[in-house]
Amino acid sequence: TWSTRPQRILRAVQQSATRGDPRSVVRAIDQFCRHKEWAMNVGDEKGCILDSVVSELNPSTVLELGTYCGYSTVRIASLLPPHAKLITLEFNPDFAAVARQVIAWAGLQGKVQLVEGASGDWIPKMKEQFGVKTFDLVFLDHWKDRYLPDTKLMEECGLLRKGSILLADNVICPGTPDYLEYVRNSPRYKSQYFKSHLEYTKAEDGLEKSVFLG
Ligand SMILES: O=C(NC/C=C/[C@H]1O[C@@H](n2cnc3c(NCCO)ncnc32)[C@H](O)[C@@H]1O)c1cc(-c2ccc(F)cc2)cc(O)c1O
Ligand SMILES: [Mg+2]
């Protein structure tokens, strides 16, 4: 077929979700991915864990690595306090184009800055380009072999402060063994595993929540 999966996800949102209603956008994507075509959104089960971490933290500055279609972007942004900001990095222009429209359909474009480019290029420029001092929360959901190098890069760039939270998707499936070993054994982090399931399946997966201790 001529369209891509992200384009079909966007069409499902435009056909089934209400403009300006983030929950209906999330529901439309979950329905499509559960009943029509699987896609690598964090999904509804792990999404509830993500929601509880965001709600409890009430962050002012959030960084998301790997926007894809904007599913977790919408979940996070819909829970942020009024002046909070979410910066999300996506280096695939086609995925970024879909995500912008999904975020706009949810009415959240005022809270989200979608930056088209690679995390390795943009993390060192966060302070000068976006006036970010440190991030209260980072959601890692991009290439799994980039979680560890990008975490070290964020440390080096002084983007983490005492109490910053790293929340990582897929630490079991597909898995991020080097990242997990680092945050679970480094004295600079306190880590906690939230057992769940791979989106829309019965396979095990989970989120790792790591507090940077400074
Ligand atoms: O692979 C998975 N996610 C990758 C996400 C990539 C998205 O992020 C973007 N991206 C990647 N690296 C960077 C980057 N920086 C790094 C490169 O410079 N900078 C900016 N953007 C980046 C891509 O363009 C995509 O939009 C996954 C797989 C399964 C899965 C499980 C079981 C299966 F059987 C099959 C699949 C489940 C999941 O939840 C998953 O998240
Ligand atoms: Mg994921």
Side-chain angles (χ1 to χ4, degrees):
T1 56
W2 56 276
S3 67
T4 65
R5 180 167 305 175
Q7 284 169 330
R8 293 193 289 273
I9 287 174
L10 172 60
R11 190 174 54 205
V13 165
Q14 293 168 335
Q15 287 174 346
S16 312
T18 307
R19 275 183 185 282
D21 176 359
R23 298 311 307 171
S24 75
V25 169
V26 167
R27 195 179 321 112
I29 297 175
D30 283 330
Q31 287 291 99
F32 181 81
C33 294
R34 184 174 290 284
H35 302 298
K36 296 283 188 336
E37 283 187 72
W38 186 91
M40 58 182 178
N41 316 117
V42 72
D44 43 2
E45 192 180 321
K46 288 185 288 178
C48 285
I49 300 167
L50 170 62
D51 291 355
S52 57
V53 170
V54 175
S55 303
E56 185 188 335
L57 188 64
N58 217 23
S60 298
T61 54
V62 183
L63 176 64
E64 175 179 62
L65 302 179
T67 316
Y68 188 45
C69 296
Y71 174 90
S72 48
T73 321
V74 167
R75 284 196 87 115
I76 297 168
S78 68
L79 296 172
L80 294 181
H83 307 292
K85 265 277 171 217
L86 164 57
I87 296 174
T88 184
L89 302 184
E90 174 53 58
F91 73 172
N92 179 309
D94 300 326
F95 296 170
V98 164
R100 285 190 203 286
Q101 295 174 82
V102 168
I103 293 159
W105 198 270
L108 293 167
Q109 62 277 22
K111 287 184 166 301
V112 176
Q113 173 125 33
L114 194 162
V115 179
E116 222 170 296
S119 51
D121 300 334
W122 279 96
I123 285 171
K125 294 192 279 192
M126 279 295 150
K127 292 185 185 241
E128 75 192 76
Q129 292 288 327
F130 304 107
V132 167
K133 281 191 293 298
T134 55
F135 286 107
D136 301 323
L137 171 68
V138 182
F139 181 55
L140 299 94
D141 195 20
H142 58 330
W143 291 158
K144 308 314 161 192
D145 61 358
R146 295 294 309 179
Y147 283 24
L148 183 54
D150 283 347
T151 296
K152 289 182 172 174
L153 188 57
M154 286 188 285
E155 289 175 14
E156 284 153 25
C157 296
L159 287 169
L160 304 178
R161 54 143 174 95
K162 191 172 168 43
S164 291
I165 303 277
L166 302 185
L167 189 64
D169 190 25
N170 310 116
V171 295
I172 303 299
C173 177
T176 62
D178 59 343
Y179 171 81
L180 220 39
E181 198 277 332
Y182 180 72
V183 290
R184 288 180 173 174
N185 297 305
S186 163
R188 306 186 74 184
Y189 292 91
K190 176 89 187 73
S191 273
Q192 184 183 3
Y193 174 58
F194 291 81
K195 183 176 164 130
S196 184
H197 294 96
L198 176 68
E199 48 267 28
Y200 318 117
T201 78
K202 292 184 168 37
E204 181 180 345
D205 189 20
L207 301 176
E208 188 83 0
K209 178 186 172 188
S210 307
V211 186
F212 186 62
L213 302 174

